[in-house]
Amino acid sequence: MIYSLNGKLKHVENGMFVVECGGVGYQCKSSGTTISCLPPVGETVQVYTTMTFTAENGPDLYGFFDRAEQDCFRMLTGVSGVGPKAALAILSELTPESFALAVAAGDVKALTRAKGVGPKAAQRIVLELGDKVSGDAISKGFGGFGAPAAPTMKGNAGEAIAALVSLGYSNSEAAAAVGKLPQEDSVEDMIKKALRALAMGR
């Protein structure tokens, strides 16, 4: 089992990247979130990996920028009827924290925004993972699932999320929108940008 890779980033394209370690290039399928976090090609990168195997396709390696997303991927693919493709679609749409919030809140709509994830699959995810997602785990980031605690949204991001919730958006919708914004933005800018993104998504 390959748990992680640390080497030179050789190639990046939509949904896939290659890391060279010891002269061997490892192709990793990945989420849009991880792809957006990778350094420029040629620089050193560390990613956390999960390998799957099917009789049809053989082995596939999936790479993630942090352990929180890796942990989230493993949880999702453990849900009956949810394969790696659907899991990556969800993780391209939601950060690990906003995913946890969506499951804890039973927010099926947030999950169905991911390409190829229908209401039935989203409901299964909420039902099968709901017990594993506690309010305490969310308050500590994604650390409640065995990954190191991810930074919770505090400061400007936290204020922006609270403002969006007061306007009628769910916690998961607000967290997902704000989580994709530059964290150095002012609260006002975060709210404006998040409102535009949320309006386009509805």
Side-chain angles (χ1 to χ4, degrees):
M1 178 68 71
I2 302 172
Y3 178 75
S4 65
L5 298 172
N6 192 327
K8 183 181 291 186
L9 186 64
K10 298 291 290 185
H11 177 72
V12 179
E13 62 182 68
N14 187 33
M16 186 272 286
F17 61 88
V18 177
V19 178
E20 184 180 89
C21 302
V24 178
Y26 293 87
Q27 177 179 300
C28 300
K29 296 180 180 180
S30 193
S31 69
T33 301
T34 282
I35 296 293
S36 68
C37 292
L38 293 173
V41 171
E43 293 193 8
T44 299
V45 65
Q46 177 172 323
V47 293
Y48 297 91
T49 60
T50 296
M51 182 175 286
T52 65
F53 184 90
T54 62
E56 182 180 356
N57 300 319
D60 275 317
L61 192 62
Y62 297 84
F64 306 98
F65 193 72
D66 59 30
R67 286 176 57 195
E69 195 176 27
Q70 177 197 44
D71 214 36
C72 198
F73 177 81
R74 289 175 174 173
M75 290 179 65
L76 278 165
T77 53
V79 174
S80 58
V82 178
K85 186 176 180 180
L88 290 183
I90 291 170
L91 294 175
S92 294
E93 184 68 33
L94 301 171
T95 63
E97 182 180 59
S98 57
F99 166 73
L101 284 167
V103 173
D107 191 352
V108 171
K109 182 180 176 181
L111 298 175
T112 57
R113 285 204 299 266
K115 186 177 180 180
V117 178
K120 289 185 178 180
Q123 288 168 1
R124 274 200 307 274
I125 291 168
V126 169
L127 286 172
E128 294 190 30
L129 299 184
D131 290 342
K132 299 180 181 180
V133 180
S134 66
D136 183 57
I138 294 171
S139 71
K140 295 177 181 177
F142 217 69
F145 301 123
T152 54
M153 292 187 179
K154 299 179 180 177
N156 289 355
E159 291 183 36
I161 290 171
L164 292 169
V165 170
S166 71
L167 292 173
Y169 291 96
S170 68
N171 280 331
S172 58
E173 286 179 316
V178 173
K180 296 177 181 178
L181 300 176
Q183 297 303 293
E184 64 271 15
D185 280 1
S186 67
V187 175
E188 184 178 355
D189 284 343
M190 283 185 171
I191 294 172
K192 289 179 180 178
K193 291 178 182 178
L195 283 173
R196 282 198 293 269
L198 288 164
M200 290 175 64
R202 285 190 163 184

